[in-house]
Amino acid sequence: MPSTFSRRDLRVLFVTPEVYPLSKTGGLGDVSAALPAALRALRVDVRLLIPGYPQVLSGLKYKRKIAKFDTLSQFPPATLLSAKLPVNASTSVPVFIIDCPGLYQREGGPYLDESGQDWPDNGLRFGLLSKIGAILASDDSPLAWHPHIVHCNDWQSGLVPAYLNFHSGEKAASLMTIHNLAFQGIFPPGSVAQLGLPSDSFNMQGVEYYGNISFLKAGLYYCNHISTVSPSYAKEIQSEPLGFGMQGLLLTRRKSISGIINGIDTTEWNPTSDPHIPRTYTSNKQSTKAINKKALQLAMGLDVDPDIPLFGAINRLSHQKGCDILLQVALELIKIPAQLVVLGSGMAELEVELTTLSKTYPTKIAATIGFNEKLSHLIEAGADGFLMPSRFEPCGLNQMYSQRYGTPPVVHATGGLLDTVVDCTPATLADGSASGFLFNDMTADDFLKTIHRAVTAYHNKKIWRRLQKNCMAKDFSWQASAVSYREIYLSLLSSPNIS
Ligand code: ADP
């Protein structure tokens, strides 16, 4: 939008519904903290726009009121605040917060109420996030800071490109990143008027999705460019079954889709300095990893045994994450013998099944239901191997954390798992790339066979050490991915939106 440009002052508005440590339900929270910080290190002036949930407002000390939005269609009045997000000791990222008590000031999660149901007004809640995102990215903005690019993340910001499409003045170009296509932001047709979208946008060439409105479809349809979080997932979503109904649209836009693997926050997830674990360690000092294993076994009430292979799993307990097949193999796994520690929350029946299993075999299987950042670090450090049997996985972070912690993962060969884990074979061991174990068939049988392969490798100390070293030597930092995002931003500067 701004008329003069030098590569040095590329400005990006990063619209996201969650950001760690203020609010996080999954990988998007981590990405929203780490990617903007990595982009700022490349001198991209990126600023976040987030909803003012209670924990966001209380978590940011110094906030300034910078604008008011009193007359936006049928949205309640909102105030725009500005603050700095402390990412780590050396980096802070400017953040705009939408303070709208009517929509965001409530107990519960960002998307779900305390009983686990979607908030009934999610359409309005994230319609407002999108609307203000679009205003700040256009010449209607009350701010002096004008972005060249608006970077939208998942369905919650999917209406930004739609609002911009119907704005006739100057506007930023838009990038829509899919972190998980399974969540599509679907609302009844009546929402179109409520959200202040033109009625003729409600058709196949617009925001309509099989008789309803889908925020994600709207974003994918109207944005200038689409990205997703791994090259394999970028391909998988262009056909059934992982296209989740959007494969037709994605296929027509295939020339505008990029797959960029997520990085991880290598400061937060660093076994050499992690404050959450009893003993830090390097790849040369593997014996200290055993201290963390003992601490994990003790904390979880498992038999304390340095020689038994201990597997960890951390995730949303859901069909996507393959928790059903994890439960199916659990009894066979402890017969190997091996131990299992699971941390997660999600589907009630999976929580109950897991809890029952851990109560039946308390010294072999441990389950912690809930979200526990500290324990997740101890599991990554203390487990010998990590289990991630996801049915599909856009990118996945835990398999990267586990490799960084010298805890080789056993993963289903899909999406980002396929792109970040190298199967352990004689050839990959020889060339130094082996870093875990992949299985192809999404069955308990194939998963269990692969766990057996991992256990066999575990009992060969030489092979296991080599595998751990390979894992810990891998570079999962954001640097390369941030460069790829910057290339996309720069390529969009010549789009017709930008004057
Ligand atoms: P997704 O975003 O699909 O849930 P990812 O692997 O991309 O999956 O990211 C999940 C993030 O959330 C990781 O940082 C993981 O450690 C964290 N996480 C998931 N469940 C829990 C939990 N119960 N306790 C602590 N951290 C969790």
Side-chain angles (χ1 to χ4, degrees):
M1 182 180 59
S3 50
T4 54
F5 176 75
S6 99
R7 276 177 83 101
R8 291 282 298 271
D9 68 8
L10 179 58
R11 292 185 290 278
V12 178
L13 180 68
F14 191 95
V15 186
T16 178
E18 57 183 88
V19 59
Y20 177 80
L22 301 174
S23 63
K24 166 175 160 179
T25 67
L28 176 56
D30 289 333
V31 172
S32 301
L35 173 58
L39 285 163
R40 288 190 78 82
L42 295 175
R43 294 174 180 270
V44 177
D45 179 2
V46 53
R47 305 185 186 196
L48 266 63
L49 176 68
I50 58 172
Y53 313 119
Q55 60 276 31
V56 167
L57 295 178
S58 63
L60 290 169
K61 266 203 191 123
Y62 304 104
K63 301 180 283 289
R64 267 186 324 120
K65 285 187 188 169
I66 52 169
K68 275 185 93 56
F69 297 97
D70 288 330
T71 52
L72 295 179
S73 184
Q74 289 161 30
F75 298 109
T79 305
L80 194 67
L81 310 174
S82 148
K84 289 265 171 101
L85 184 71
V87 178
N88 56 43
S90 58
T91 323
S92 66
V93 176
V95 55
F96 301 121
I97 306 118
I98 304 170
D99 185 12
C100 179
L103 295 181
Y104 304 133
Q105 271 292 334
R106 50 182 81 162
E107 296 305 314
Y111 319 125
L112 308 178
D113 65 19
E114 281 164 318
S115 65
Q117 301 298 310
D118 284 342
W119 291 111
D121 56 353
N122 270 348
L124 268 188
R125 297 175 76 238
F126 296 106
L128 182 66
L129 175 67
S130 297
K131 180 71 185 173
I132 293 183
I135 291 173
L136 299 187
S138 76
D139 56 6
D140 275 348
S141 174
L143 308 185
W145 183 85
H146 294 283
H148 301 91
I149 307 290
V150 58
H151 185 164
C152 309
N153 293 278
D154 274 352
W155 71 264
Q156 295 89 343
S157 50
L159 288 190
V160 174
Y163 286 124
L164 285 177
N165 179 69
F166 297 104
H167 176 77
S168 53
E170 287 191 28
K171 52 198 157 192
S174 54
L175 169 65
M176 180 82 231
T177 297
I178 304 167
H179 297 264
N180 192 336
L181 193 62
F183 301 107
Q184 303 183 333
I186 294 176
F187 300 95
S191 320
V192 173
Q194 194 187 21
L195 292 162
L197 286 163
S199 55
D200 61 1
S201 69
F202 191 69
N203 66 65
M204 245 172 75
Q205 267 70 49
V207 303
E208 188 201 339
Y209 184 62
Y210 299 109
N212 287 307
I213 168 174
S214 158
F215 280 33
L216 182 63
K217 190 254 169 152
L220 297 176
Y221 183 80
Y222 288 114
C223 70
N224 296 92
H225 196 82
I226 296 169
S227 74
T228 187
V229 288
S230 67
S232 289
Y233 191 62
K235 286 190 212 117
E236 290 167 353
I237 57 177
Q238 292 176 38
S239 57
E240 293 271 26
L242 295 187
F244 284 103
M246 305 260 176
Q247 60 276 1
L249 170 58
L250 289 166
L251 205 54
T252 61
R253 298 218 59 189
R254 65 187 173 282
K255 294 207 171 93
S256 306
I257 303 179
S258 308
I260 303 174
I261 200 82
N262 284 335
I264 61 173
D265 185 333
T266 48
T267 308
E268 182 74 19
W269 293 92
N270 185 351
T272 67
S273 60
D274 190 331
H276 302 295
I277 59 177
R279 196 64 70 89
T280 55
Y281 57 98
T282 63
S283 70
N284 293 326
K285 265 254 163 193
Q286 276 295 328
S287 52
T288 41
K289 190 178 190 313
I291 296 171
N292 296 303
K293 177 172 179 177
K294 186 174 177 186
L296 181 60
Q297 287 171 324
L298 277 171
M300 296 289 107
L302 298 172
D303 284 334
V304 176
D305 177 347
D307 297 322
I308 191 167
L310 167 56
F311 289 97
I314 305 165
N315 60 44
R316 290 183 284 114
L317 301 178
S318 63
H319 186 70
Q320 179 201 333
K321 299 291 177 183
C323 295
D324 47 334
I325 81 155
L326 180 61
L327 284 163
Q328 282 174 46
V329 304
L331 288 183
E332 291 302 317
L333 181 144
I334 59 177
K335 280 189 210 152
I336 292 177
Q339 294 176 335
L340 177 64
V341 175
V342 184
L343 165 64
S345 60
M347 286 169 68
E349 61 270 31
L350 293 172
E351 292 186 356
V352 170
E353 255 188 85
L354 202 54
T355 309
T356 309
L357 259 182
S358 69
K359 284 195 174 139
T360 315
Y361 304 96
T363 57
K364 298 179 169 67
I365 300 176
T368 300
I369 305 300
F371 200 93
N372 187 329
E373 194 74 33
K374 190 174 170 67
L375 180 57
S376 71
H377 285 245
L378 179 60
I379 293 176
E380 294 289 9
D384 295 303
F386 194 83
L387 303 181
M388 213 157 158
S390 306
R391 278 200 165 70
F392 66 95
E393 194 56 81
C395 176
L397 295 173
N398 274 308
Q399 82 283 5
M400 292 191 268
Y401 300 152
S402 68
Q403 288 172 81
R404 187 156 163 80
Y405 279 66
T407 307
V410 178
V411 304
H412 181 213
T414 182
L417 300 176
L418 188 56
D419 294 340
T420 55
V421 181
V422 178
D423 193 41
C424 179
T425 64
T428 57
L429 272 173
D431 70 19
S433 62
S435 68
F437 302 85
L438 286 113
F439 65 99
N440 288 306
D441 298 339
M442 189 58 202
T443 59
D445 202 34
D446 206 18
F447 184 31
L448 188 61
K449 269 192 208 145
T450 311
I451 292 173
H452 274 286
R453 262 203 305 134
V455 170
T456 306
Y458 171 81
H459 288 300
N460 182 328
K461 292 289 173 242
K462 210 167 144 206
I463 288 182
W464 198 253
R465 284 286 303 121
R466 210 174 315 154
L467 203 51
Q468 287 180 308
K469 273 196 171 257
N470 293 349
C471 284
M472 294 182 82
K474 286 176 84 162
D475 179 8
F476 291 115
S477 70
W478 266 104
Q479 215 168 3
S481 304
V483 168
S484 303
Y485 277 103
R486 187 180 57 173
E487 290 312 310
I488 293 179
Y489 298 154
L490 290 170
S491 74
L492 289 178
L493 290 177
S494 54
S495 83
N497 292 349
I498 306 266
S499 56

